[in-house]
């Protein structure tokens, strides 16, 4: 799944510039997620039976946290990439992309690309390192004498944060105690339901599957 193209200067004497393709041109936005109606409260006598019906009760401990007031989003500002070197521009953009997707900043994040000529069309392989995980990219370059564009595509997925997924599950289920079957940080598929990644809420008999948009938006949906 392609990430929007970036427009960068290729000349050493020109200031770098960037232009992001509008979201509407991608045709990949998913409908805004809606929280289901709050469940009807049960009596104390019925509570143990509902809790025992939750599949996660036998699969691990629930983690407890406050219910967020809104769906998860990345609200921090990452530094702009300021360089006239094309490789540095692309690598800096990938460093920001993986942090934005996971919604967790990490100053130790790095990225490196194979050598390429920004003046000619081509494809270059790049790899970002985030939270100790390698994130490979294929970057399509449209070259130019003064400006070039590039479109990064993650080839094996992007890194997601369990804390963010579980907070989204808290918001979705209106439940403080939840558990998601994933590592603290792990590669996930983009644009489709993540295989094997299920979430649960304490006392809730439903199983929830997880999907990520190309921009890192998390969608938690009950399995019907």
């Amino acid at each position: 799944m392609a990430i929007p193209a970036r427009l960068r200067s290729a000349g050493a004497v020109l200031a770098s510039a960037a232009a992001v393709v509008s979201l509407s041109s991608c045709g990949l936005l998913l409908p805004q997620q809606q929280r289901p109606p709050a469940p009807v409260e049960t009596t104390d006598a019925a509570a143990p039976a509902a809790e025992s019906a939750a599949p996660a009760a036998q699969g691990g401990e629930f983690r407890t946290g406050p219910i967020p007031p809104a769906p998860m989003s990345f609200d921090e500002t990452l530094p702009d990439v300021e360089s006239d070197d094309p490789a540095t521009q692309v690598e800096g953009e990938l460093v920001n992309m993986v942090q934005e997707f996971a919604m967790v900043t990490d100053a130790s994040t790095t990225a490196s690309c194979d050598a390429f000529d920004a003046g000619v069309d081509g494809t270059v392989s790049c790899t970002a390192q985030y939270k100790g995980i390698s994130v490979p990219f294929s970057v399509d370059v449209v070259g130019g004498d003064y400006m070039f564009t590039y479109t990064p595509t993650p080839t094996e997925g992007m890194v997601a944060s369990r804390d963010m997924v579980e907070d989204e599950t808290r918001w979705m289920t209106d439940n403080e105690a939840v558990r998601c079957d994933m590592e603290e940080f792990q590669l996930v598929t983009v644009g489709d339901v993540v295989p094997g990644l299920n979430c649960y809420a304490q006392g809730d008999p439903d199983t929830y599957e997880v999907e990520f948009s190309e921009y890192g938006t998390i969608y938690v949906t009950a399995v019907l």
Side-chain angles (χ1 to χ4, degrees):
M1 181 171 297
I3 302 297
R6 265 59 173 180
L7 179 64
R8 293 297 190 183
S9 61
V13 296
L14 299 179
S16 63
V20 179
V21 174
S22 64
L23 298 180
S24 60
S25 69
C26 299
L28 295 171
L29 295 180
L30 298 176
Q32 184 175 0
Q33 185 175 9
Q34 299 292 325
R35 181 191 296 176
V40 178
E41 294 186 5
T42 58
T43 63
D44 292 341
E51 188 167 323
S52 64
Q58 298 177 354
E61 295 295 327
F62 288 100
R63 284 173 282 271
T64 302
I67 298 171
M72 295 299 96
S73 62
F74 184 75
D75 301 321
E76 300 185 49
T77 301
L78 294 172
D80 292 332
V81 182
E82 297 182 357
S83 175
D84 294 328
D85 177 61
T88 301
Q89 293 172 15
V90 175
E91 291 165 358
E93 199 68 45
L94 296 182
V95 165
N96 286 348
M97 284 173 55
V98 293
Q99 295 179 86
E100 291 169 356
F101 186 96
M103 304 186 199
V104 178
T105 58
D106 183 356
S108 67
T109 305
T110 61
S112 61
C113 294
D114 293 342
F116 68 95
D117 185 346
V120 299
D121 297 353
T123 300
V124 60
S125 296
C126 302
T127 303
Q129 296 288 339
Y130 175 73
K131 295 292 184 181
I133 301 173
S134 295
V135 187
F137 286 87
S138 176
V139 181
D140 293 327
V141 175
V142 178
D145 292 335
Y146 300 101
M147 304 291 290
F148 74 102
T149 61
Y150 60 94
T151 304
T153 301
T155 58
E156 296 181 11
M158 294 284 275
V159 178
S161 162
R162 185 182 65 198
D163 285 348
M164 294 298 102
V165 177
E166 291 188 339
D167 271 348
E168 184 71 20
T169 305
R170 291 185 180 96
W171 179 84
M172 184 67 183
T173 62
D174 199 29
N175 193 321
E176 293 182 346
V178 303
R179 181 177 70 83
C180 293
D181 293 333
M182 62 181 295
E183 301 295 328
E184 184 177 6
F185 292 94
Q186 75 173 56
L187 278 174
V188 296
T189 55
V190 178
D192 202 356
V193 173
V194 181
L197 202 176
N198 293 319
C199 295
Y200 311 93
Q202 192 170 40
D204 184 340
D206 287 335
T207 297
Y208 294 86
E209 59 188 13
V210 182
E211 182 174 345
F212 297 85
S213 78
E214 62 178 312
Y215 304 103
T217 305
I218 306 168
Y219 299 92
V220 176
T221 309
V223 179
L224 302 179

